[in-house]
């Protein structure tokens, strides 16, 4: 017999849609989703997510801009092609509750600058403790980087294969990855975790860029 609190309801769907709208507005206010870019999703239950449809201004989202998508079904009409990247992550990682994708300036540039390395390492920054499970600035955190690709199905496979492998020795894998010259995917157990990770990544990348360009 199902436990009452575990039964998905339309309230859960509405809560997820509202969390997507809030995340989109917050990202737009910080200029991380220029010109209708980016996409945002929040898990409703085991099988469904709420996710932004293609081509909408993330700063002006309304409930009609958010689709209720089954994780194991083909993309609904009006979906962003990149929704496939969200669905694969949800399918592979039942603990993920929200995935936010942005085209912020710092993440986009850092991804392109380090694409040949396949990753960028966060180390020595206090703010890395904003990432779930990280308790020290001394931890080495690996953020995978993938070459951008308009073939999203192929890209999704490359991402899934890489994330299934352990990080480099001595590193902890970040709750996110970069697409070179494109942007950032960040996730968390909840929408609040994913939002905190998104902001931490963008600021950490800005700190790396500033440190490299600063001439004492
Ligand atoms: Zn994108």
């Amino acid at each position: 017999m199902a436990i009452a609190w575990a039964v998905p309801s339309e309230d859960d769907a509405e809560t997820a849609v509202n969390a997507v709208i809030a995340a989109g507005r917050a990202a737009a206010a910080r200029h991380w989703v220029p010109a209708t870019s980016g996409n945002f999703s929040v898990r409703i239950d085991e099988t469904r997510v709420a996710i932004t449809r293609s081509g909408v201004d993330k700063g002006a989202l309304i409930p009609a801009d958010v689709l209720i998508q089954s994780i194991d079904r083909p993309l609904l009409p009006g979906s962003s092609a990149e929704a496939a990247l969200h669905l694969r992550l949800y399918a592979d990682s039942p603990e993920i509750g929200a995935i936010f994708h942005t085209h912020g300036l710092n993440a986009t540039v850092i991804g392109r600058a380090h694409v040949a390395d396949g990753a960028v390492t966060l180390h020595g920054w206090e703010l890395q403790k904003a990432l779930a499970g990280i308790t020290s600035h001394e931890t080495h955190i690996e953020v995978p980087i993938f070459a951008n690709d308009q073939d999203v199905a192929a890209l999704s496979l490359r991402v899934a294969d890489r994330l299934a492998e352990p990080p480099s020795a001595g590193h902890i894998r970040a709750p996110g990855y970069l697409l070179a010259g494109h942007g950032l995917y960040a996730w968390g157990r909840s929408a609040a975790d994913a939002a905190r990770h998104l902001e931490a990544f963008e600021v950490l990348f800005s700190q790396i860029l500033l440190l490299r360009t600063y001439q004492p």
Side-chain angles (χ1 to χ4, degrees):
M1 200 178 88
I3 301 166
W5 52 260
V7 176
S9 71
E10 284 321 298
D11 285 351
D12 294 325
E14 193 180 332
T15 300
V17 168
N18 288 337
V20 165
I21 290 171
R25 287 183 182 160
R30 291 166 171 82
H31 307 288
W32 296 338
V33 283
T36 78
S37 63
N39 35 67
F40 295 80
S41 66
V42 172
R43 185 191 284 276
I44 299 167
D45 54 37
E46 245 179 275
T47 61
R48 297 178 303 162
V49 299
I51 185 166
T52 45
R53 66 181 175 83
S54 177
V56 290
D57 178 352
K58 306 308 180 296
L61 290 172
I62 57 172
D65 297 329
V66 185
L67 303 168
I68 306 300
Q69 169 75 53
S70 291
I71 291 169
D72 62 353
R73 297 281 168 79
L75 295 180
L76 295 166
S79 295
S80 158
E82 285 187 63
L85 294 169
H86 291 241
L87 298 187
R88 181 62 194 258
L89 264 176
Y90 283 116
D92 288 350
S93 306
E95 75 280 8
I96 290 181
I99 303 170
F100 299 155
H101 167 54
T102 51
H103 289 203
L105 183 62
N106 299 298
T108 303
V109 172
I110 282 281
R112 186 159 170 181
H114 288 274
V115 65
D117 306 324
V120 61
T121 296
L122 304 173
H123 175 245
W125 305 102
E126 179 69 10
L127 192 60
Q128 61 196 52
K129 288 162 58 186
L131 304 177
I134 304 299
T135 57
S136 172
H137 64 287
E138 293 181 341
T139 305
H140 289 75
I141 302 165
E142 179 183 277
V143 186
I145 302 175
F146 301 91
N148 198 22
D149 195 336
Q150 300 305 323
D151 182 343
V152 178
L155 179 59
S156 182
L157 273 179
R158 279 197 285 131
V159 171
D161 285 351
R162 172 88 180 269
L163 297 185
E165 291 173 6
S168 307
H171 287 64
I172 286 179
R173 176 71 53 66
Y177 63 82
L178 291 163
L179 299 179
H182 176 160
L184 167 68
Y185 276 81
W187 53 84
R189 287 182 172 273
S190 65
D193 279 354
R196 192 182 69 250
H197 292 167
L198 199 62
E199 182 161 28
F201 280 129
E202 191 64 25
V203 174
L204 284 160
F205 296 143
S206 75
Q207 290 169 340
I208 292 171
L209 287 170
L210 188 60
L211 183 66
R212 291 201 182 150
T213 52
Y214 178 64
Q215 302 284 347

